[in-house]
Amino acid sequence: MQADTTRTALIIGGTGQIGVAAARRLAHDGWSVLIAHRGEHAGDAALADLDVTTIRLDRDDTESLLAHARGHDLVLDTVAYEPRHADQLARLAGDVGSLVVVSTGSVYTGADGGYLDIVTGPEDFPDFPLPLRETDPVVDNAEKTYSPLKAAMERRLLAVDDLPVSILRPGAVHGPFSPRLREWFFIKRALDRRERVVLSDDGSNRFSTSATVNLAELVALCADKPGRRVLNAVDDDALSVAEIARTVFTALDREVEIVAFPGPPIGSVGSTPWTVAHPLLLSMAAATVELGYHQPVGYADAAAAAIDWMVRAVDAADRHGGSWQRLFPALADQADTWFEYPAEDAFLAERITGR
Ligand SMILES: NC(=O)c1ccc[n+]([C@@H]2O[C@H](COP(=O)([O-])OP(=O)(O)OC[C@H]3O[C@@H](n4cnc5c(N)ncnc54)[C@H](OP(=O)(O)O)[C@@H]3O)[C@@H](O)[C@H]2O)c1
């Protein structure tokens, strides 16, 4: 009798945007996938048609986490944020084929040691090496905020013997099932039939994006080639904010004029979720050399899928008496600064009519 050679994976946080894309990619490649989440985000119901099983699990329940994780060919952890999560995963040494952990590109520091968490404005925005490589300096302090904790988690993981861990550093993640899709900044303007959008810095800001479908490709490659490594995980496109805006408006078949001005945002006017005073662009050279990675999907096609998903989700919520704010509470929290139309209109009136 032939032994079953089906490879198995556990995805911690498998109903999130990265988890859904990875589950789909792996299942299409013949993997048997187990998705774990707490039960708050439903994820992609269509995955049930594939060899994908979903269980309820809080990663804080370490014994249950380890019991479900041991013995898999791949464990993908999308919700590891701090050293104690690394300590949990360290206990998988020798018991897992390949461990992939999602970190963040915000661990990098600029020339003066600054990093994203402590930015107060354009004047103290870090001047990052261009492009950022995995060997560039990362934050190393005891602050208990997002980026220092992620960096400490990375170091803790890399110090574990016999742990085949690939750490991925994405930029601004986009994909279907995102709870906070940045592209909503432009999507909503198109749906609101805004005729113009205002961008600071001549629309030239660049902040690496990361399509979940491209992250899934990297996860699959790391599963095929286990190792102990850190890899950037961003789209090759390196688009400017103006190019992102045009891409979103094109996907929605809407003509929206981009009105760009030099210099930093004026209050919220001209600012976007990708507005950075200096470029934050990550190099994909290491993934290409080490894994033979080639980006499968460009930003425009990947973003179109996320935009389509989001527009349908908001439309369905509207039809059933809901709202985008209830559907996406994390985005609703940003609404005051993202959609300050009166300030934008006042700027445009002065700029266009001289009033
Ligand atoms: N968003 C970005 O632009 C960005 C940029 C750089 C790095 N990252 C990194 O990307 C990762 C987030 O991935 P994502 O965007 O795919 O997340 P996401 O869409 O917010 O989904 C999070 C997933 O994790 C599950 N989850 C949350 N807490 C859990 C817990 N305690 N135990 C088990 N499951 C849990 C959620 O489902 P339930 O709620 O049902 O449990 C959901 O399935 C993070 O590590 C973050 O640092 C994100």
Side-chain angles (χ1 to χ4, degrees), residues 13-18 37-41 57-59 78-79 81 102-104 146 150 170-173 179 182:
T15 59
Q17 57 176 339
I18 297 171
H37 74 121
R38 295 165 306 175
E40 293 181 16
H41 293 88
L57 169 75
D58 189 325
R59 66 123 358 99
T78 70
V79 281
Y81 290 98
V102 179
S103 183
T104 171
Y146 177 68
K150 280 277 199 187
V173 179
R182 289 172 179 81

